[in-house]
């Protein structure tokens, strides 16, 4: 019998070393993917959270589209007179020209629940900056135009399809007048045209030419800089349909007939009032290129990740909104 002091043989050491290497290799094979998955999990949660934020913002805005005024003569949904949804940018400044149709841009117009709702008490000529208003209803004593305030976006529109947006500079309550910043308008608005506070928000996809990443931005219809809503948006698209559910394609919404006239610089396609539903497609990608793989079905924009264990695939959602204020529009 061999004594303990004789030690281990070469064969025993070789077998022990082989077993040790096998165990270490197995542990490493488990630990490496686990480390990658651990690094990817927080980013996957962030992608889902950003997707949720985008859906909530767009759905809330679209649901309010077309909410109109309660003033006499122009009461009812905005869609009875003007387009509450426009597939292009429209505001006090930086508006797109007539005939433009963008799949990744939408302007939403609505009237909030506000006291700033009245009508013109005198005609408004093109280029004029003083709006003479009828006293608003429900104001305290000795106050004529309550609700209107500097910095507010106001909408002037009539039943003929004419509409303009203004930014309030000052309010002369004693004269029942609102002073607005100058805008390029070719329209004359007659006594009785609606003047209301308005929410005008444009959502669009803005690409950074340096990083090649895209951002969902919101414009407030005025001269303010665009505000970022979401970063690393890999895709955004708006599709429209009418009362029957049939799609309304770009050619239908950008080729006329035109309102208020075919020669107006700010004319718009009358078919925009046929919109009843908006289908939104929103796609969010991982912020880090190290967590994105090759471009394809999983990734709109390629990354540098070589291991599938480190991938955080794009998240995409499609949802349909039927604005409650546009159901009965013409």
């Amino acid at each position: 019998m061999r004594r303990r002091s004789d030690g281990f043989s070469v064969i025993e050491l070789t077998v022990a070393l082989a077993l040790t290497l096998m165990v270490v290799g197995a542990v490493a094979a488990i630990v490496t993917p686990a480390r990658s998955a651990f690094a990817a999990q927080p980013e996957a949660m962030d992608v889902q959270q950003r997707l949720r934020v985008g859906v909530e913002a767009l759905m809330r805005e679209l649901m309010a589209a077309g909410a109109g005024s309660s003033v006499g003569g122009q009461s009812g949904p905005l869609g009875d007179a003007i387009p509450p949804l426009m597939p292009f940018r429209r505001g006090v400044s930086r508006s797109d020209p007539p005939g433009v149709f963008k799949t990744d841009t939408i302007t939403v117009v609505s009237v909030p629940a506000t006291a700033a709702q009245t009508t013109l008490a005198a005609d408004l000529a093109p280029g004029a900056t003083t709006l003479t208003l009828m006293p608003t209803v429900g104001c305290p004593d000795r106050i004529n135009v309550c609700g209107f305030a500097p910095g507010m976006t106001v909408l002037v529109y009539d039943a003929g399809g004419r509409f303009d947006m203004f930014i309030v500079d000052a309010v002369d309550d004693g004269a029942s007048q609102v002073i607005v910043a100058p805008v390029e308008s070719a329209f004359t608005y007659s006594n009785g045209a609606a003047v209301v506070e308005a929410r005008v928000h444009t959502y669009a996809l803005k690409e950074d030419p340096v990083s090649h990443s895209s951002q969902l931005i919101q414009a407030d219809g005025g001269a303010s800089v665009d505000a970022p809503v979401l970063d690393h948006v890999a895709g955004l698209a708006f599709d429209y349909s009418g009362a029957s559910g049939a799609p309304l394609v770009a050619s239908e919404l950008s080729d006329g007939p035109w309102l208020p006239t075919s020669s107006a610089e700010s004319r718009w396609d009358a078919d925009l009032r046929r919109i009843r539903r908006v289908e939104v497609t929103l796609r969010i990608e991982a912020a880090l290129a190290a967590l994105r793989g090759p471009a394809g079905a999983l990734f709109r924009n390629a990354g540098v990740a070589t291991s599938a264990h480190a991938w955080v695939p794009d998240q995409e959602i499609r949802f349909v909104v039927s604005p409650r204020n546009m159901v009965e529009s013409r």
Side-chain angles (χ1 to χ4, degrees):
M1 175 179 294
R2 187 183 64 188
R3 294 175 298 178
R4 178 174 297 274
S5 59
D6 293 340
F8 296 99
S9 67
V10 174
I11 296 177
E12 290 174 326
L13 289 174
T14 302
V15 172
L17 181 60
L19 291 174
T20 301
L21 291 175
M22 290 176 60
V23 172
V24 171
V27 172
I30 296 174
V31 170
T32 300
R35 185 184 296 112
S36 299
F38 182 78
Q41 191 61 32
E43 183 65 20
M45 295 173 61
D46 184 66
V47 168
Q48 293 179 359
Q49 178 62 22
R50 284 187 283 131
L51 190 68
R52 185 179 302 112
V53 169
V55 170
E56 290 178 354
L58 291 170
M59 183 171 292
R60 180 174 59 252
E61 201 75 55
L62 290 171
M63 284 299 296
S69 68
S70 57
V71 297
Q74 298 294 340
S75 61
L78 287 178
D80 289 343
I82 68 172
L85 294 174
M86 292 168 275
F88 48 84
R89 183 166 183 151
R90 181 69 186 268
V92 177
S93 61
R94 294 177 292 171
S95 296
D96 289 323
V100 169
F101 181 98
K102 296 180 178 178
T103 59
D104 61 0
T105 302
I106 191 170
T107 298
V108 185
V109 185
S110 63
V111 177
T114 174
Q117 299 187 26
T118 185
T119 59
L120 288 176
D123 292 353
L124 181 66
T129 58
T130 300
L131 283 61
T132 302
L133 308 179
M134 293 293 294
T136 52
V137 178
C139 289
D141 291 341
R142 295 182 294 278
I143 295 179
N144 295 328
V145 285
C146 60
F148 293 92
M152 177 183 293
T153 300
V154 295
L155 174 70
V156 179
Y157 67 98
D158 61 23
R162 287 173 286 271
F163 71 96
D164 274 299
M165 302 161 189
F166 302 87
I167 302 297
V168 176
D169 276 348
V171 178
D172 185 346
D173 187 72
S176 299
Q177 292 180 337
V178 168
I179 313 302
V180 297
V183 299
E184 295 183 3
S185 173
F187 298 141
T188 295
Y189 295 94
S190 301
N191 179 359
V195 183
V196 297
E197 179 183 358
R199 283 174 54 90
V200 183
H201 286 163
T202 296
Y203 290 88
L205 200 59
K206 179 182 179 181
E207 183 175 354
D208 186 336
V210 177
S211 65
H212 300 290
S213 63
S214 297
Q215 187 180 63
L216 175 65
I217 59 95
Q218 181 199 76
D220 65 359
S224 302
V225 296
D226 298 339
V229 179
L230 286 175
D231 292 324
H232 294 283
V233 178
L236 176 68
F238 300 99
D239 295 291
Y240 306 91
S241 56
S244 66
L248 297 172
V249 297
S251 59
E252 293 179 88
L253 301 177
S254 58
D255 64 347
W258 302 102
L259 290 174
T261 65
S262 58
S263 59
E265 292 186 3
S266 57
R267 61 188 179 274
W268 49 276
D269 193 308
D271 289 321
L272 290 173
R273 292 191 298 184
R274 295 171 52 202
I275 296 175
R276 296 294 180 272
R277 298 191 307 171
V278 184
E279 179 178 317
V280 184
T281 302
L282 180 64
R283 186 181 182 112
I284 305 295
E285 68 180 6
L288 300 176
L291 298 176
R292 300 196 304 268
L298 296 180
F299 304 97
R300 178 69 57 82
N301 299 311
V304 297
T306 57
S307 172
H309 297 291
W311 287 359
V312 178
D314 297 351
Q315 296 289 319
E316 182 176 286
I317 188 171
R318 290 185 178 89
F319 60 96
V320 178
V321 180
S322 298
R324 54 180 175 268
N325 297 291
M326 297 180 65
V327 175
E328 299 300 329
S329 299
R330 286 199 300 253

